[in-house]
Amino acid sequence: MFVETNLTLDKIMSEMNQLSEESWESLAPLVMATDHLLFSRENSHKSFRRLHFLTFELMSQCQNQELDESQRLEHLVKFFFEEKNFMFEDADSKNIESLSLSRALIQFSAHPFVGTLLFLHLSQALQIPLFWISCKNRYLIKWLRSGRSEYLDLLCGGQKLSDEEVLKSLDATSSDREFWTPREVYRVYLELLTKYFESTSNVKALHLAYNLSIQLDERNTHLLGRRAFLRHRLGYIKDAHADLKRYFSFVNHNSAPFEIQDLYHKVLKSVEQSAEVPTGPGPIYH
């Protein structure tokens, strides 16, 4: 778990590499730490305290009422959508701040992905077995109870789905797994951040997002290629060369897109011409 004043890239990568199918309680702090690192936010301890206080507030309410599991889930839905009036913003919004969990804890408004992540974090604190179904809308939650399943649509305020609605939603499942693991959720979160940063001039944050994504999935040739282009644009030729060598360890040279082949020839030529071409300054460029 994170120490509030120790949000470094190495620490985030260490926590990320330890993600397992049981790591739901670690996921929200990891996402918040990533948020603070990529956006260079200050006062990270305040964000962690807000998360702890929100969780404690909810747990105290349920403990005082001695609620069973079904009642705890009902209370969670009311707490989240009514008492806190949490709002899901437009998933297609160009506002990258909507992906900030730190901001969500202040405004109680966020991208649906971040809102769902926070909802699941709170459910874990209440020991409610909820799972994030891997379907196209990405905000469908499965609740396992007494050997049977029920489904909640968080885009509709946690409304339970009818059997017909469940079948329609599950037909849109986007992967072979029925639900996402914490590691898969974090991967998708990084994909959303990368998509946003690619449309901005914040190359440092984009590079960090690429680094984290590739650390999570070392065989992702698409990201290796994108990072090579970015490193070449920044003038870090040796680093771009390393990415391309790694890329072609997975992809046949003749099968690669023309743009990748062309970049490789440019980078190789630069490396051969000079042994003094620059590399990235410090650990964020590794």
Side-chain angles (χ1 to χ4, degrees):
M1 189 62 67
F2 283 95
V3 177
E4 297 166 0
T5 57
N6 188 29
L7 301 184
T8 65
L9 178 62
D10 287 342
K11 177 63 174 175
I12 288 174
M13 285 189 170
S14 175
E15 293 286 336
M16 177 183 70
N17 290 333
Q18 294 178 45
L19 286 175
S20 69
E21 295 191 4
E22 308 298 327
S23 299
W24 287 106
E25 291 185 9
S26 303
L27 187 57
L30 175 60
V31 165
M32 192 150 55
T34 304
D35 169 28
H36 276 268
L37 182 71
L38 293 181
F39 291 94
S40 301
R41 301 185 192 278
E42 298 179 355
N43 299 322
S44 61
H45 64 283
K46 291 185 178 180
S47 297
F48 282 94
R49 287 179 182 177
R50 289 189 185 102
L51 180 62
H52 296 329
F53 180 79
L54 183 69
T55 306
F56 177 78
E57 180 184 5
L58 174 62
M59 292 177 65
S60 297
Q61 292 179 4
C62 292
Q63 289 172 352
N64 291 338
Q65 300 180 53
E66 298 183 354
L67 305 178
D68 63 23
E69 184 175 292
S70 177
Q71 292 170 324
R72 292 198 303 276
L73 178 57
E74 182 179 353
H75 187 86
L76 170 58
V77 171
K78 289 182 178 180
F79 176 83
F80 195 80
F81 290 106
E82 297 180 17
E83 182 175 336
K84 298 302 178 182
N85 195 29
F86 199 98
M87 302 294 294
F88 281 10
E89 299 175 17
D90 183 359
D92 296 322
S93 169
K94 301 300 182 182
N95 180 15
I96 196 169
E97 289 291 326
S98 68
L99 288 172
S100 169
L101 181 55
S102 303
R103 170 182 173 268
L105 292 168
I106 298 173
Q107 300 186 8
F108 291 102
S109 175
H111 188 287
F113 193 92
V114 174
T116 301
L117 175 64
L118 179 57
F119 186 89
L120 284 176
H121 179 79
L122 295 173
S123 75
Q124 288 296 307
L126 296 181
Q127 298 183 329
I128 305 171
L130 299 184
F131 301 91
W132 195 336
I133 301 298
S134 54
C135 58
K136 286 184 178 179
N137 64 23
R138 296 180 175 175
Y139 318 115
L140 183 65
I141 301 300
K142 180 178 181 178
W143 175 34
L144 294 175
R145 56 175 304 201
S146 304
R148 63 189 182 91
S149 302
E150 294 188 11
Y151 296 83
L152 307 178
D153 187 350
L154 295 191
L155 285 178
C156 296
Q159 177 181 339
K160 292 182 181 180
L161 299 180
S162 66
D163 292 341
E164 181 179 347
E165 290 170 326
V166 169
L167 289 174
K168 183 178 180 181
S169 296
L170 294 184
D171 283 342
T173 298
S174 59
S175 72
D176 293 332
R177 293 186 60 88
E178 185 180 3
F179 52 85
W180 276 331
T181 65
R183 191 176 185 87
E184 289 164 340
V185 171
Y186 188 63
R187 174 185 56 78
V188 175
Y189 175 69
L190 291 175
E191 287 178 1
L192 290 171
L193 286 175
T194 299
K195 179 180 177 182
Y196 276 102
F197 284 127
E198 285 179 337
S199 65
T200 72
S201 59
N202 192 340
V203 293
K204 178 180 178 180
L206 176 59
H207 195 275
L208 281 168
Y210 282 151
N211 291 347
L212 289 170
S213 297
I214 292 171
Q215 178 74 13
L216 196 65
D217 181 6
E218 296 180 346
R219 300 176 65 89
N220 191 320
T221 54
H222 172 73
L223 290 179
L224 281 170
R226 297 305 302 165
R227 189 172 69 175
F229 273 106
L230 178 61
R231 286 175 161 178
H232 180 258
R233 179 157 64 93
L234 293 173
Y236 301 117
I237 306 303
K238 287 185 177 179
D239 295 320
H241 184 228
D243 275 347
L244 290 170
K245 286 177 63 178
R246 195 164 159 193
Y247 177 96
F248 286 116
S249 71
F250 299 119
V251 178
N252 182 280
H253 191 279
N254 294 329
S255 301
F258 169 78
E259 294 80 3
I260 295 288
Q261 295 184 41
D262 184 56
L263 177 64
Y264 181 69
H265 292 310
K266 290 178 181 178
V267 168
L268 189 61
K269 183 178 180 180
S270 297
V271 170
E272 291 173 345
Q273 288 177 345
S274 174
E276 301 301 324
V277 294
T279 57
I284 69 167
Y285 286 91
H286 287 197

